[in-house]
Amino acid sequence: MIGRLNHVALAVPDLAAATALYRNTLGAKVSEPQALPEHGVTVVFVDVDNTKIELLEPLGETSTIRAFIEKNPSGGMHHVCYEVEDIIAARDRLKSEGARILGDGEPKIGAHGKPVLFLHPKDFMGTLIELEQV
Ligand code: CO
C-alpha cells in the first residue's frame, strides 16, 4: 500500500542555523523558509536527490513541534512520510487493522498542497508516520 518515501522531517530549534548547516556544511540545496501557521511550523525543504528532508521549526505557542523541542532540545527526527495513491482507502484499511489516525481522522492539506494524515506513533514502533496522497 505505501509507496515511495516522500520526506523525512527533522524538528529543529533554530531554522536559520539548521539551514546554514545543510546549505553550507553539508552542501545541500535548501529552499527559502515557508511559514505554515495552520500546521504550527516554519519549514524549509532540503533536496537530496532521491527524497526530501524537511526542517521544521515551531511556529506559535501551541505548535506540536514546540512540545517536541522541549523534550528534545537539540532537535531530532520528527516523522517519516510515505506516499499513497488513495488516502481514504489507506485510512480505511489502517483503521480496519486497528491503527489509530491522529486528529479527527480526516485528511488535511499538508505542506505540499496535498492531502495528508498522521498515524499514531505508538502503533508504529515509536515513529510518527505521515501519509501523503500523490
Ligand atoms: Co511531513
Side-chain angles (χ1 to χ4, degrees):
M1 177 180 69
I2 60 170
R4 288 162 42 100
L5 174 68
N6 185 275
H7 61 270
V8 175
L10 309 180
V12 302
D14 179 342
L15 194 58
T19 296
L21 193 63
Y22 270 78
R23 187 177 279 150
N24 305 331
T25 308
L26 293 173
K29 275 179 273 174
V30 185
S31 76
E32 290 307 307
Q34 221 178 298
L36 302 171
E38 68 279 22
H39 294 283
V41 296
T42 305
V43 60
V44 302
F45 303 104
V46 182
D47 179 355
V48 291
D49 194 38
N50 64 335
T51 189
K52 291 184 288 287
I53 307 296
E54 291 183 7
L55 305 177
L56 307 175
E57 180 186 63
L59 176 64
E61 285 311 309
T62 57
S63 170
T64 57
I65 302 297
R66 188 173 303 286
F68 183 94
I69 293 292
E70 276 161 18
K71 280 186 225 144
N72 307 275
S74 54
M77 200 201 78
H78 186 262
H79 65 268
V80 295
C81 177
Y82 301 119
E83 297 179 354
V84 294
E85 276 176 25
D86 181 336
I87 201 158
I88 298 298
R91 176 197 63 188
D92 292 346
R93 172 173 164 172
L94 286 157
K95 277 167 84 171
S96 75
E97 299 283 341
R100 288 167 286 178
I101 314 296
L102 296 188
D104 64 5
E106 295 304 320
K108 297 209 170 22
I109 297 304
H112 311 112
K114 309 253 178 71
V116 301
L117 284 173
F118 286 90
L119 309 180
H120 201 299
K122 290 211 167 107
D123 296 336
F124 293 93
M125 296 162 289
T127 301
L128 177 61
I129 292 178
E130 178 179 21
L131 298 179
E132 180 172 300
Q133 180 171 293
V134 293

